[in-house]
Amino acid sequence: MADVNQYGFSYEEIVIALIKQLDINEGLWTLNINFRFEAKNIRKDSESTKVSPGFIGMLDRIGLIRATKNTPGLTVDAAKVNPKLTRGPRAKVN
């Protein structure tokens, strides 16, 4: 078997995995990604003495946020992908 060095996930697969990890059973959820940007004077290369205005962008956090409406491709219904399991009082567990 070949060694796997990389996995890729769609937007919805990430939301579904987080819903299951957090055991969320209801509501519409979407991915929330926060970026942080800072303005800086940046040298074009390490040998240059001149600077130019620029910015640096950073990924700050990734999480879930409850959605108020269903937007196909962006929202996931937790009740469908991670339904709450219910058993009757006499159900046998194997």
Side-chain angles (χ1 to χ4, degrees):
M1 183 187 293
D3 288 336
V4 178
N5 295 318
Q6 181 175 342
Y7 292 97
F9 301 96
S10 72
Y11 184 94
E12 287 179 306
E13 288 172 326
I14 293 170
V15 176
I16 290 168
L18 290 171
I19 285 171
K20 289 180 177 183
Q21 175 68 32
L22 296 168
D23 199 27
I24 299 170
N25 307 112
E26 61 183 40
L28 297 172
W29 295 88
T30 189
L31 199 60
N32 182 35
I33 302 172
N34 294 326
F35 293 95
R36 192 172 83 200
F37 296 95
E38 292 184 19
K40 299 258 185 196
N41 289 322
I42 302 171
R43 292 189 294 168
K44 291 183 181 182
D45 56 55
S46 61
E47 297 166 6
S48 177
T49 58
K50 292 184 179 182
V51 295
S52 297
F55 72 92
I56 298 170
M58 294 157 273
L59 178 63
D60 197 36
R61 338 175 42 119
I62 298 175
L64 293 177
I65 190 167
R66 191 180 289 266
T68 56
K69 67 178 185 173
N70 187 12
T71 305
L74 295 179
T75 55
V76 174
D77 186 346
K80 290 181 181 175
V81 299
N82 192 38
K84 191 172 218 170
L85 298 178
T86 59
R87 283 195 200 125
R90 298 186 181 176
K92 287 186 178 180
V93 179
N94 293 332

